[in-house]
Amino acid sequence: MKAQAFADYLAKNPVDEEYEPLKTYFPDEERFKSIQFRHILRIQNEVADALATLASMLHHPDKAYVDPLHIQVHDQNAYCNVVEEELDGEPWFHNIKEYIRMGVYPVQATGDQKRKIRQLASGFFFSGGVLYKGTPDLGLLRCIDVRQATTIMTEVHSGVY
């Protein structure tokens, strides 16, 4: 396939009198003892793949300045940065669960907060002591607290499942 493409190129672009062969002499060439090229598959090089994807999304005029992309390497996996401890000791869905289960609002809730809890509760489903979030495709997502999320993420990323 490569040879055919090369032959097609040569057929369309014949060599004329202005042709100059490529000069391959480099002044420092005696410093190099050997050179080796290795092909790394794209699937094995996630950083290059991500950079190529980002580069393909950029459309800018020729004279525009593009800020450099700074990549940070973290000591822990990304999923560990997502799960955060609740400030009041209750899970994030506690108020919604109590409203659906018993029809009560938090004691300190204002009128706006009560209205927001009612709005949010319309998208949840309570069954068997477990709160589920409904999805547009009629699926149900189980609501879990920080402890359960940490356990699940550790098991999933350690290969238990």
Side-chain angles (χ1 to χ4, degrees):
M1 180 125 171
K2 289 180 185 177
Q4 181 62 43
F6 184 65
D8 290 346
Y9 174 80
L10 289 176
K12 290 179 184 174
N13 301 300
V15 176
D16 57 6
E17 56 276 347
E18 295 178 10
Y19 173 76
E20 291 184 25
L22 178 66
K23 295 179 181 158
T24 58
Y25 172 74
F26 298 100
D28 296 335
E29 106 183 1
E30 50 273 350
R31 289 191 323 176
F32 297 104
K33 294 184 175 133
S34 69
I35 188 168
Q36 186 177 29
F37 295 98
R38 291 186 184 175
H39 176 70
I40 299 174
L41 297 175
R42 181 181 236 183
I43 192 116
Q44 295 171 341
N45 196 349
E46 292 95 6
V47 173
D49 188 34
L51 289 173
T53 302
L54 286 173
S56 69
M57 288 191 252
L58 291 177
H59 298 288
H60 58 84
D62 293 337
K63 296 180 181 177
Y65 175 76
V66 178
D67 291 327
L69 179 65
H70 299 285
I71 300 173
Q72 298 176 355
V73 178
H74 294 284
D75 294 333
Q76 67 185 48
N77 294 328
Y79 67 85
C80 295
N81 297 328
V82 175
V83 180
E84 295 178 357
E85 192 68 37
E86 286 93 1
L87 299 175
D88 59 357
E90 296 290 346
W92 63 270
F93 55 87
H94 175 72
N95 294 338
I96 299 169
K97 184 177 180 180
E98 289 301 308
Y99 175 74
I100 293 172
R101 192 168 64 96
M102 298 174 43
V104 296
Y105 298 103
V107 176
Q108 74 280 8
T110 64
D112 289 340
Q113 290 171 334
K114 289 178 182 179
R115 188 179 77 247
K116 189 64 175 175
I117 290 172
R118 284 192 308 272
Q119 288 174 347
L120 289 172
S122 67
F124 288 83
F125 174 72
F126 186 74
S127 176
V130 179
L131 187 66
Y132 297 93
K133 169 89 170 97
T135 62
D137 62 350
L138 303 179
L140 295 174
L141 303 174
R142 184 178 183 155
C143 299
I144 56 175
D145 61 11
V146 172
R147 184 183 48 78
Q148 293 170 319
T150 304
T151 303
I152 291 169
M153 294 304 282
T154 302
E155 288 177 358
V156 166
H157 289 278
S158 67
V160 173
Y161 289 105

